[in-house]
């Protein structure tokens, strides 16, 4: 059972009218792996990530997460994943603690465990001293850390990060890359990027997407 891939994607396809954003993508991810989807603007990365996270319905194809079919058993499949979209959905008027508590409750963490779950995700994302700060006042790097903290607050098996380092300065970039590597020790991670060095530094496995199709898989 433990040898079963955590994520199995077969024949994934997304069409918008006559345009094909994703065309027949297959991928497999084992627990403990960091997979990078690398591609130019418009290659289909965000579309793929949104389908993997269960927030966008594929035109066809199947996605199994921890053995659960995302289309047939969405609640069970989504319980095993956390998702940071390209634009982190943060409420600027909430503090870090308020926001993470809200996310933990939405993710089904039992009320008695919410404070512990928030403290744990803050610790892992180096946010322990920022709990009372308003999200709207944080730097971009800290906002990304909060975005990652909300994605792991319920301790999912799979963490999906869409362009997690986009717009960061070099110091923030290093911090977030090292955080992602640390996440890889406990979760499987899928991240998207258009930067080759990012994929090389952070990922165990890279799939290059071109015009919605897999162009190259390495190693
Ligand atoms: P970027 O790096 O610029 O975010 P991407 O690799 O994430 O690009 P997608 O956003 O997945 O690419 O887009 C893939 C293709 O699908 C593009 O041609 C885009 O214009 C198209 N597309 C995405 N969303 C829609 C939509 N809602 N309606 C129509 N076309 C769309």
């Amino acid at each position: 059972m433990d040898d079963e891939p955590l994520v199995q994607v077969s024949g994934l396809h997304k069409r918008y009218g006559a345009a094909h954003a994703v065309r027949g993508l297959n991928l497999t991810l084992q627990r403990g792996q960091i997979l990078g989807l690398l591609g130019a603007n418009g290659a289909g990365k965000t579309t793929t990530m949104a389908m993997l996270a269960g927030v966008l319905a594929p035109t066809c194809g199947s996605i199994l997460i921890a053995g659960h079919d995302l289309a047939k058993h969405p609640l069970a499949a989504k319980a095993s994943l956390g998702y940071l979209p390209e634009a982190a959905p943060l409420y600027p008027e909430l503090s870090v603690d308020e926001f993470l508590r809200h996310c933990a409750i939405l993710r089904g963490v039992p009320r008695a465990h919410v404070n512990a779950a928030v403290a744990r995700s803050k610790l892992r994302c180096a946010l322990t001293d920022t709990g009372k700060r308003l999200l709207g006042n944080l730097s971009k790097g800290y906002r990304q850390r909060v975005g990652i903290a909300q994605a792991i607050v319920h301790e999912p098996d799979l963490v999906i990060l869409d362009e997690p380092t986009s717009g960061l300065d070099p110091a923030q970039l290093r911090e977030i890359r090292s955080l992602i590597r640390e996440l890889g020790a406990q979760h499987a991670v899928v991240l998207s990027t258009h930067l080759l060095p990012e994929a090389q530094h952070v990922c165990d496995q890279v799939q290059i997407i071109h015009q919605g199709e897999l162009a190259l898989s390495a190693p």
Side-chain angles (χ1 to χ4, degrees), residues 71-138:
K72 292 183 185 145
H73 305 289
L75 291 182
K78 286 183 189 180
S80 297
L81 66 86
Y83 175 43
L84 173 63
E86 197 170 10
L90 305 182
Y91 301 108
E93 67 280 13
L94 292 189
S95 71
V96 171
D97 280 344
E98 287 167 340
F99 176 69
L100 291 177
R101 271 201 292 270
H102 169 72
C103 294
I105 290 165
L106 285 181
R107 282 305 202 157
V109 175
R111 294 224 172 224
H113 298 157
V114 164
N115 286 347
V118 168
R120 192 172 47 237
S121 67
K122 280 197 305 180
L123 183 65
R124 294 186 64 199
C125 297
L127 289 166
T128 301
D129 297 332
T130 61
K132 299 210 164 11
R133 294 199 59 192
L134 289 184
L135 295 173
N137 295 342
L138 295 179

Side-chain angles (χ1 to χ4, degrees), residues 16 21 40-48 86 163 194:
Y16 292 109
N41 292 131
K45 304 180 298 294
T46 291
T47 304
T48 302
E86 197 170 10
E163 305 243 12
H194 57 270

Side-chain angles (χ1 to χ4, degrees), residues 146-157:
V146 176
I148 293 173
Q150 66 76 30
I152 63 170
V153 74
H154 54 305
E155 299 200 81
D157 292 330

Side-chain angles (χ1 to χ4, degrees), residues 10-21:
S10 315
L12 194 65
H13 207 107
K14 182 68 187 179
R15 213 177 51 221
Y16 292 109
H20 295 254

Side-chain angles (χ1 to χ4, degrees), residues 32-219:
Q33 276 190 324
I34 303 180
L35 167 67
L37 297 183
L38 179 68
N41 292 131
K45 304 180 298 294
T46 291
T47 304
T48 302
M49 305 297 262
M51 289 192 285
L52 280 180
V55 299
L56 180 70
T59 305
C60 61
S62 72
I63 301 173
L64 290 186
I65 297 188
H68 303 288
D69 187 313
L70 191 54
K72 292 183 185 145
H73 305 289
L75 291 182
K78 286 183 189 180
S80 297
L81 66 86
Y83 175 43
L84 173 63
E86 197 170 10
L90 305 182
Y91 301 108
E93 67 280 13
L94 292 189
S95 71
V96 171
D97 280 344
E98 287 167 340
F99 176 69
L100 291 177
R101 271 201 292 270
H102 169 72
C103 294
I105 290 165
L106 285 181
R107 282 305 202 157
V109 175
R111 294 224 172 224
H113 298 157
V114 164
N115 286 347
V118 168
R120 192 172 47 237
S121 67
K122 280 197 305 180
L123 183 65
R124 294 186 64 199
C125 297
L127 289 166
T128 301
D129 297 332
T130 61
K132 299 210 164 11
R133 294 199 59 192
L134 289 184
L135 295 173
N137 295 342
L138 295 179
S139 67
K140 170 97 180 157
Y142 271 86
R143 283 205 301 274
Q144 279 305 80
R145 290 190 204 188
V146 176
I148 293 173
Q150 66 76 30
I152 63 170
V153 74
H154 54 305
E155 299 200 81
D157 292 330
L158 171 68
V159 184
I160 299 169
L161 306 172
D162 194 359
E163 305 243 12
T165 58
S166 144
L168 300 184
D169 71 29
Q172 294 168 335
L173 201 70
R174 278 195 299 277
E175 286 170 13
I176 298 293
R177 281 179 182 166
S178 100
L179 170 58
I180 294 168
R181 282 236 59 103
E182 284 165 30
L183 290 183
Q186 284 185 29
H187 311 261
V189 179
V190 182
L191 66 86
S192 66
T193 179
H194 57 270
L195 303 172
L196 181 59
E198 173 115 321
Q200 286 172 320
H201 280 112
V202 178
C203 303
D204 306 311
Q205 193 195 138
V206 178
Q207 295 209 346
I208 299 178
I209 301 182
H210 178 64
Q211 295 180 348
E213 283 181 300
L214 179 63
L216 188 73
S217 187

